[in-house]
Amino acid sequence: MPYGDVGLELGRRVAAALKAAMDVDSTPAQALVRPSARADYQCDVAMSLGKRLGRPPREVAAGIVAALDSADLLESAEVAGPGFVNLILRRSWLEDRAAALLGDERLGVARTERPRRFAVDYGGPNVAKEMHVGHLRSSIIGDAIVRMLRFSGHEVIPHNHLGDWGTPFGMLIEHLVDEGAHGGHGISDLSGFYREAREKFDADPGFADRARRRVVLLQGGDEPTLALWRQLVDESARHFDQVFTLLGIGLTAADAYGESFYNPYLAEVLDELEAKGLTETSDGAVCVFPPGFRNRDGDRLPLIVRKSDGGYGYAATDLATIRYWTRERGVTDLRYVVGNPQAQHFAMIFAAARQAGWLTADHHAEHVGFGSVLGADGRTIRTRAGGSVKLVELLTEAVDRAAAVVAERGELSEDERAAVARAVGIGAVKYADLSGDREKDYTFAWDRMLACEGNTAGYLQYAHARIRSLLRKAGETPGPGTPVVLAEPAERALLLKILQLPAACAAATESLAPHRLCGYLYEVATTFSGFYENCPILAPATPGEIRRSRLALAELTARVLTLGLALLGIEAPERL
Ligand code: ARG
């Protein structure tokens, strides 16, 4: 077993023992082997199995121990307490393993045996509106998920479902026409532009009429109207690009599959739904009523495919999206990183898509929801003026605040300081978002976010930079095969923690829960600091062989932190 998760490998051994000793079939995961404070790993399967087999758990545990074929990697396996099996790994096995890890770029993380093709919908800002913090979470979480899935060996196609179509464009285009005629200030201030258009629409019936006619022209493909529309889309794209670049988010213009992209498919979607007998007309609108969705009064809830005025809306576009990615692009898995308020929308879309046969047993769609960003007052974050906080301002502030901290580090050059401030500031914002359970709301607090202690990006980045500085000072980087000696408990504890990277990646990737990776990285950094306190490295009294071994453990720790942070989309600067 060259690489992979140690817990899972032990699980395999236990599963084999269960089969041999009592003819019980189980998977390695069902063998319930976990890292433990009382041993290296502990197997808990005898409790539940004892109950199932009607045998005392200790007896089942003893049966496992007797049949366990693991002399190559285990020092001992012992029954403990009511029926645990405590597993202690062989020191020599761990040492060999550490030496091998030094030559493994993936640090023991295996690629998936069942690669799939994912389409991950994230970002999703709306044209002619500034991106706001609501889109920040989608971008940060979505980007981390894309990175984690790719690292597992899946194929991932990111796509940005821009709100770039629909009725608001009627008023926006008419406003653009008026502004052009009057030499107005144009669309550089997009939210201001949107607000003005909205106000005119509400106040001036003549304008509202023009706006409605403009929507018809737009949907009918009128060339001059499309040219105006493109101006708005391009200006927005520049704004989004600026934010994504600042954030270090991978989304580019090539990943933009806005609502407009699906426009040519909408009529086919409707035809197919009708042909399959899934539609009903209700108040002039063509609807699908996916089974199982009712309001409080018990009335069935509709997905409106075509409105009574003949237009298509958000739901129709999302149905077309599923049909497009599964049929035309051969995608097996769809993930939507969108806020919790849209949970019901997606549940209904997926149900309808299953009815239509666009989602099948081998096509899996999932809404990856997340909570709101709250201010210190516990309410959804706002600026003093009452509007949503603008993303660019927020991110610029993060970098400025980080720069103030970094400015105290005299040894960095001007350029280095700017790069580090960016890494630290953006890293802080991202990590604060990623380190909590995404389903929950999170409170945006600068001080906590930029702190260098606790489960923060700063703490991890600092731990990493400290190790890098140590290795520079040592003047040697331990390469593949450097002998590792695990004489001290702190050395052993650190290596055991490093060996848990595959399990942490699997847990985070399987449930699309980046916070699990964050929690693990924090444990790595704290375990390292225990090691660093107890195991002198550069002290003259440390024998050369021990020094090299400890440097190797430090090097592995630094690599785990760098890799883990990279999977979250966060940089780990060499110096801080
Ligand atoms: N533009 C939408 C919004 O701002 C998000 C799009 C999410 N993706 C989707 N396929 N509906 O709320």
Side-chain angles (χ1 to χ4, degrees), residues 121 124 126 135 161 314 318 336 338 342 346:
D121 180 331
N126 300 311
H135 298 113
H161 198 88
Y314 194 59
D318 264 327
Y336 296 80
V338 183
Q342 296 193 39
F346 284 112

Side-chain angles (χ1 to χ4, degrees), residues 121-127 129 132 134-135 138 159-164 257 259 262 314 317-318 321 336-339 342 345-346:
D121 180 331
Y122 76 103
N126 300 311
V127 163
K129 286 188 188 172
H132 57 71
H135 298 113
S138 174
H159 63 110
N160 187 356
H161 198 88
L162 291 170
D164 66 354
Y257 288 80
E259 293 176 18
Y262 303 98
Y314 194 59
T317 307
D318 264 327
T321 304
Y336 296 80
V337 188
V338 183
Q342 296 193 39
H345 164 75
F346 284 112

Side-chain angles (χ1 to χ4, degrees), residues 132-141 247 340 369-382 389 391 394-395 398 425-450 455 515:
H132 57 71
V133 283
H135 298 113
L136 176 68
R137 294 209 80 184
S138 174
S139 305
I140 292 174
I141 298 168
L247 268 174
N340 287 337
F370 54 82
S372 315
V373 183
L374 307 179
D377 57 0
R379 319 229 320 237
T380 304
I381 195 164
R382 307 250 167 226
V389 172
L391 211 51
L394 184 115
L395 297 173
I426 299 298
V429 172
K430 286 186 171 181
Y431 196 85
D433 192 322
L434 295 169
S435 55
D437 182 344
R438 63 173 158 75
E439 301 270 355
K440 303 212 174 95
D441 293 347
Y442 96 88
T443 305
F444 197 95
W446 288 118
D447 294 350
R448 191 156 11 103
M449 198 176 276
L450 287 161
N455 188 10
H515 74 281

Side-chain angles (χ1 to χ4, degrees), residues 90-142:
R90 251 183 213 294
R91 178 173 147 185
S92 58
W93 184 83
L94 286 169
E95 290 171 342
D96 289 350
R97 185 84 185 190
L101 271 191
L102 283 165
D104 177 17
E105 253 175 44
R106 296 181 59 89
L107 295 168
V109 183
R111 280 199 176 76
T112 176
E113 282 157 20
R114 278 175 293 275
R116 308 207 16 119
R117 181 180 288 176
F118 282 84
V120 179
D121 180 331
Y122 76 103
N126 300 311
V127 163
K129 286 188 188 172
E130 301 263 2
M131 274 178 88
H132 57 71
V133 283
H135 298 113
L136 176 68
R137 294 209 80 184
S138 174
S139 305
I140 292 174
I141 298 168

